[in-house]
Amino acid sequence: AQNFSFTGSLNQNNVSFTLNTNVFNFTGNPFPTYISANDNADNVNNFLKINTTVFSEQTIWFWDQSINSYITINQASQATYIAPTQGFFVKTKVINFEEQTHFTQSMQSHQSNDIFFRNSRASISRPEIKLSLSDGSTIKTSDIFYITNTTTGWDNGYDSTLFGGGDNSFAVYTHLVSDSQGQDLAIQS
């Protein structure tokens, strides 16, 4: 409930950041506008789709102070928009050199609310199960989505692991039905 001032030039070009490989990287929206994280209406110009060759999984992890936990977002999640300057985690693939994550002008989106971690509240026309577990101060969740053409094995962009950069001693998760490698899933489709 206050005004903030930013100084410097507004970014009007595509932006790329160098990331370390095979680790969680903290990055953020470099634009003065919202960007589409996973808007499937425009499956070409969302952050996860454009960076699919860079990330070990098409997943973004946001911190949500209201539940004292990380929220997991992938292509199966509701359309999510990343606020200007909002930070989040991604995990890169194992490669022999530093990789670039890309933010393009085409990801930019006008949103009318001034809040961080904006989730569209559009109705979903698929069966879903949301598992929730609380210890009184922390809420942990795991989502199961029933989506046509997803499998009982790993579907990159539609299955996502728990955020591995924090304490997961208190967690709720699922495992793959087929070809499980023991990953603890926050989202399973």
Side-chain angles (χ1 to χ4, degrees):
Q2 66 188 57
N3 293 323
F4 292 93
S5 296
F6 294 90
T7 54
S9 301
L10 293 178
N11 186 23
Q12 299 177 10
N13 299 313
N14 294 341
V15 176
S16 295
F17 293 115
T18 300
L19 301 176
N20 294 319
T21 63
N22 196 33
V23 294
F24 289 97
N25 287 265
F26 189 71
T27 189
N29 178 358
F31 292 115
T33 59
Y34 283 86
I35 61 171
S36 171
N38 65 336
D39 187 353
N40 285 315
D42 187 3
N43 205 15
V44 175
N45 295 314
N46 73 57
F47 179 75
L48 288 173
K49 189 57 132 180
I50 286 175
N51 290 287
T52 190
T53 61
V54 177
F55 301 150
S56 64
E57 59 185 276
Q58 288 185 41
T59 304
I60 299 172
W61 293 274
F62 291 98
W63 178 253
D64 186 338
Q65 186 64 41
S66 68
I67 61 171
N68 198 30
S69 185
Y70 285 93
I71 294 174
T72 306
I73 301 294
N74 68 16
Q75 297 287 18
S77 305
Q78 289 183 340
T80 302
Y81 299 92
I82 304 168
T85 72
Q86 182 172 8
F88 52 92
F89 282 95
V90 295
K91 187 175 182 191
T92 55
K93 289 182 178 180
V94 178
I95 44 183
N96 296 324
F97 55 89
E98 292 182 332
E99 189 56 82
Q100 298 271 318
T101 185
H102 305 284
F103 296 86
T104 63
Q105 291 179 7
S106 60
M107 292 177 194
Q108 295 182 85
S109 173
H110 174 74
Q111 300 297 317
S112 59
N113 292 348
D114 294 326
I115 59 171
F116 284 91
F117 183 64
R118 178 170 165 60
N119 225 348
S120 86
R121 301 294 180 212
S123 63
I124 300 295
S125 60
R126 65 179 181 223
E128 298 181 354
I129 298 172
K130 183 176 212 76
L131 302 172
S132 295
L133 186 64
S134 174
D135 68 358
S137 63
T138 302
I139 299 172
K140 299 291 184 169
T141 63
S142 184
D143 296 321
I144 302 169
F145 301 136
Y146 293 89
I147 301 173
T148 303
N149 297 325
T150 57
T151 68
T152 57
W154 179 260
D155 296 299
N156 193 16
Y158 295 89
D159 295 320
S160 292
T161 59
L162 291 174
F163 178 62
D167 178 18
N168 285 323
S169 59
F170 174 69
V172 59
Y173 50 83
T174 63
H175 284 174
L176 294 173
V177 176
S178 300
D179 303 320
S180 178
Q181 303 298 311
Q183 308 103 309
D184 297 336
L185 301 179
I187 299 175
Q188 185 173 5
S189 299

